[in-house]
Amino acid sequence: MSLKSDSIWAASPSTTRGQPTQLSADSKGERLAYASNKSVFLRSIDNPAISTQYTSHTSQTTVARFAPSGYYVASGDVTGMIRVWDCVGEGATKGEYAIISGRINDIAWDGDSQRIIAVGDGKGRFGHCITADSGNSVGEISGHTSLINSVSIRQQRPLRAATGSDDNSLVFLHGAPFKFNTNLRGNHNNSVYGVAFSPDGSSLVSVGADRKIWLYDGKTGEVKGQIGEGEHKGSIFGVSWSSDSKRFATSSADQTIKIWDAEAGKSVQSWRMGEEGSVSVPDHQVGVVWPAGRSDGLVISLALSGNLNYLSEGDSKPTRVVQGHQKNITSLGSTVDDNNTTIWTGSYEGRVCSWDVTTGLAHTVDGETHSNYVSGITATPEGQGRIYSVGWDDTLRVIDTTAKTFLGTTAKLEVQPKGVSAAKDQVFVATPNGIEIFKDGSKSGELKTKFSPNAISASSGLVAIGGEIIQIYSVSGRSLDLKTEIKGLTSQVSTLALSPNGSLLAAGTSNGKIFLYNSLDGSLVTNRWSAHTARITCISWNKAGTHAISGGLDTNVFVWSVEKPGNRIKALNSHKDGVNGVAWIEGQDTKVVSTGADAAVKVWKVEGLK
């Protein structure tokens, strides 16, 4: 038996307001590379549901760049560490180099895929140039008095490099080895956010917070002039050249992406994200890339919300918007419509997404969402077309599954919810005080308990809550009648899952153990489901109630058998920093999904289930 990775539905790029976010495309125009949380994702441009994940960084990643050869990626993090790794094979790390003492903001490769310049916010220095295979120094990056935001290397000889900084200047370097040549001050009067040499090496462009675009000679660094004065109404965060070196694209905080004719100095096309006439901070465009090697002229921009916008000349609107989560996914639920499973996920900052299992693509649920941590998502068996979510804004919200939007119905909870589950036509919310009962989005009853519940599960007319003890209730109209109580637990209950027919109860604890009980009389069925080494965060049953899947803070996923408790299959290191949600894909007992702190959704193939 085995649990094999079937697909990775990638997290969205991590973004920060007022800061550029770098995107990189490979030389063939097939894949996109970007940093997200502590990972780097390589994502297919044509089919965004296909991606690979690099997880060897131990801190928040900030930038990833493909080598021109297409065989390696260099990625950096907030500690100043650069990793060079194989992006064609198994993702093996080729080198690990400490560059500066702070955040890496940008990385550039030379045309031979041999040298790397990394820049950022250091203490002793703001950047360094090294060889990709050994980390040997091949030049100093000097001339700036503040952190460097961007770097670019001319791909032809004689080698040239340019860096843009918060000190409002652009430094031109000669190489190799790279050394200071000139400091181009006086053109920008605010931070320089982006610099880029044209693919043919003839031109250099710089953009910044002063909304200005300057062009320079790519070989000498001489100023050619400024273009587009007053066109962008906000800071320009990104710039990327087309492969013919005649045009380039810019992305700005004014919610626009513009394509420029470098020779004429004029904008030839512009797109504006968000609703017309309204200011939308999540639609600030903080990054842009013009993938080479493509015939369709595709431009991809990045919004502050993490949305990737696919833009084609001639179309006034994006041809595709790729959405997802940027933060830790904290809850997971699923609905089935015409045998098609939809996965619903909620994350740390309050965003809720729906995932189409057949396409692997996400849609952010519209409407007024939670303002922070989503602690639970559930669907009522009879309530077709609706699911319910609870969050640490102390609200229960209702989602229309067809329109993929929050309805106006919002119920205020007495205290912070611990979880949510549904049975028959009622929704039960666990809080530190007990259980709050809702019907059609309105509160219909409550039950105070003598202990503080951490988890709740409902199925087939039963409701189970767990904390220092476990209590199982039967649903009687709008009230709950206590059926059985389980005491003597060795650790606090952290998650509960009643089987579909309600006959079994799986209880996960904070010390990594799972106990299986008979829910009718509270007797122990087995205590052999104990392979996790940290708190159990989630358990889910298959439709037949013969197998369960679990995830924990130890980053592992296990599949368990009721008939043969000693048999288990595992996927180790499934999600960096912990697994927070698991579910079976309806109608496919051979596939499960998991979510975690890396903000990705992963599909696993279960082989040899017994």
Side-chain angles (χ1 to χ4, degrees):
M1 296 194 298
S2 64
L3 203 57
K4 291 186 177 178
S5 177
D6 187 68
S7 56
I8 299 172
W9 302 339
S12 294
S14 294
T15 57
T16 304
R17 186 175 180 181
Q19 273 188 12
T21 301
Q22 312 298 343
L23 297 176
S24 175
D26 65 12
S27 55
K28 295 179 181 178
E30 294 174 350
R31 293 182 295 171
L32 205 59
Y34 58 78
S36 181
N37 298 300
K38 293 182 181 179
S39 304
V40 173
F41 289 95
L42 306 183
R43 197 167 191 176
S44 168
I45 291 175
D46 294 315
N47 185 359
I50 299 173
S51 62
T52 56
Q53 182 182 11
Y54 179 76
T55 58
S56 292
H57 282 279
T58 56
S59 303
Q60 173 84 31
T61 53
T62 55
V63 60
R65 294 280 192 188
F66 280 105
S69 66
Y71 293 110
Y72 294 99
V73 169
S75 55
D77 61 32
V78 294
T79 66
M81 190 69 71
I82 289 287
R83 288 175 177 269
V84 179
W85 44 281
D86 169 24
C87 64
V88 177
E90 296 297 314
T93 302
K94 185 181 180 184
E96 180 181 350
Y97 315 115
I99 302 294
I100 53 178
S101 56
R103 186 183 196 271
I104 300 287
N105 285 334
D106 200 5
I107 294 169
W109 290 82
D110 73 348
D112 301 326
S113 300
Q114 293 179 349
R115 303 174 188 85
I116 294 171
I117 296 179
V119 298
D121 185 10
K123 291 181 174 66
R125 60 186 181 188
F126 301 112
H128 200 53
C129 182
I130 61 169
T131 54
D133 57 354
S134 62
N136 293 333
S137 176
V138 281
E140 285 295 325
I141 309 302
S142 58
H144 288 296
T145 58
S146 185
L147 67 91
I148 301 175
N149 292 308
S150 181
V151 61
S152 181
I153 299 177
R154 187 172 185 258
Q155 301 294 290
Q156 298 79 16
R157 295 181 183 276
L159 292 179
R160 301 286 185 261
T163 54
S165 167
D166 268 9
D167 63 10
N168 309 348
S169 72
L170 183 144
V171 164
F172 201 70
L173 304 121
H174 283 198
F178 286 97
K179 56 184 182 295
F180 175 87
N181 179 255
T182 51
N183 188 318
L184 300 168
R185 289 187 181 275
N187 298 324
H188 289 281
N189 53 29
N190 209 327
S191 299
V192 181
Y193 283 146
V195 295
F197 281 95
S198 60
D200 64 5
S202 63
S203 299
L204 170 68
V205 63
S206 66
V207 298
D210 57 2
R211 312 171 187 180
K212 294 179 180 178
I213 303 170
W214 285 89
L215 286 168
Y216 314 83
D217 184 280
K219 187 175 180 181
T220 64
E222 292 178 6
V223 178
K224 287 185 178 179
Q226 183 189 351
I227 67 169
E229 177 73 41
E231 288 269 355
H232 276 299
K233 309 299 182 187
S235 298
I236 305 173
F237 288 120
V239 61
S240 183
W241 285 89
S242 66
S243 53
D244 61 10
S245 299
K246 294 179 180 178
R247 296 168 300 162
F248 58 86
T250 55
S251 61
S252 169
D254 63 8
Q255 300 171 222
T256 65
I257 301 95
K258 295 181 184 289
I259 291 181
W260 303 85
D261 184 313
E263 193 172 332
K266 293 182 179 179
S267 171
V268 295
Q269 174 133 12
S270 179
W271 296 271
R272 189 180 190 278
M273 301 299 138
E275 293 183 18
E276 197 63 43
S278 67
V279 176
S280 171
V281 172
D283 285 309
H284 285 188
Q285 301 300 305
V286 295
V288 65
V289 64
W290 198 326
R294 296 180 69 92
S295 58
D296 57 2
L298 179 71
V299 175
I300 300 175
S301 75
L302 171 64
L304 183 65
S305 63
N307 290 352
L308 292 166
N309 303 298
Y310 285 42
L311 308 167
S312 292
E313 287 186 81
D315 291 319
S316 60
K317 296 290 183 184
T319 56
R320 170 185 269 176
V321 179
V322 179
Q323 300 178 317
H325 288 285
Q326 291 179 291
K327 304 279 188 184
N328 180 350
I329 297 177
T330 53
S331 56
L332 180 149
S334 64
T335 56
V336 182
D337 185 25
D338 296 330
N339 287 327
N340 291 325
T341 302
T342 301
I343 303 297
W344 300 84
T345 52
S347 58
Y348 181 81
E349 84 279 27
R351 184 179 300 177
V352 177
C353 290
S354 67
W355 300 80
D356 187 322
V357 169
T358 54
T359 64
L361 297 179
H363 177 87
T364 301
V365 176
D366 302 319
E368 189 180 347
T369 186
H370 294 279
S371 59
N372 53 23
Y373 193 105
V374 181
S375 55
I377 293 176
T378 190
T380 56
E382 287 81 4
Q384 288 295 325
R386 283 189 175 190
I387 65 167
Y388 296 84
S389 63
V390 292
W392 283 6
D393 53 1
D394 299 349
T395 60
L396 171 79
R397 297 177 187 267
V398 187
I399 299 170
D400 184 318
T401 59
T402 305
K404 292 182 172 58
T405 183
F406 283 98
L407 300 176
T409 312
T410 300
K412 192 69 179 170
L413 303 170
E414 289 183 2
V415 288
Q416 196 177 80
K418 294 289 189 178
V420 63
S421 193
K424 295 187 176 178
D425 58 350
Q426 298 188 93
V427 177
F428 305 91
V429 180
T431 72
N433 297 338
I435 304 172
E436 293 187 40
I437 307 169
F438 294 84
K439 186 171 183 178
D440 297 327
S442 300
K443 189 171 180 178
S444 59
E446 64 179 332
L447 175 76
K448 300 291 185 183
T449 56
K450 294 181 179 178
F451 69 99
S452 179
N454 297 323
I456 189 167
S457 179
S459 178
S460 297
L462 295 177
V463 177
I465 55 172
E468 58 195 47
I469 63 172
I470 297 172
Q471 290 181 336
I472 301 172
Y473 296 85
S474 62
V475 181
S476 177
R478 297 187 179 184
S479 62
L480 298 173
D481 299 327
L482 182 63
K483 282 177 64 71
T484 186
E485 194 171 81
I486 302 169
K487 296 182 177 180
L489 301 171
T490 57
S491 184
Q492 286 269 343
V493 171
S494 54
T495 186
L496 291 170
L498 279 162
S499 61
N501 63 7
S503 63
L504 296 172
L505 174 66
T509 63
S510 57
N511 64 355
K513 303 286 189 273
I514 300 174
F515 298 95
L516 189 62
Y517 296 100
N518 183 317
S519 58
L520 300 178
D521 57 14
S523 60
L524 182 67
V525 177
T526 183
N527 60 359
R528 296 184 64 191
W529 292 6
S530 54
H532 285 284
T533 56
R535 177 160 61 95
I536 310 293
T537 55
C538 47
I539 301 172
S540 175
W541 288 89
N542 66 346
K543 191 173 182 179
T546 57
H547 294 81
I549 181 174
S550 65
L553 285 184
D554 57 3
T555 74
N556 303 329
V557 170
F558 286 90
V559 176
W560 309 93
S561 168
V562 174
E563 188 179 332
K564 298 180 178 178
N567 284 5
R568 62 175 183 264
I569 53 177
K570 61 190 176 184
L572 303 180
N573 303 315
S574 304
H575 292 273
K576 200 169 180 66
D577 291 342
V579 181
N580 292 329
V582 289
W584 294 79
I585 295 178
E586 192 73 26
Q588 301 184 44
D589 265 3
T590 57
K591 283 190 178 180
V592 294
V593 295
S594 64
T595 58
D598 57 7
V601 178
K602 298 187 179 182
V603 182
W604 305 89
K605 205 166 189 177
V606 184
E607 295 181 344
L609 200 62
K610 295 178 182 178

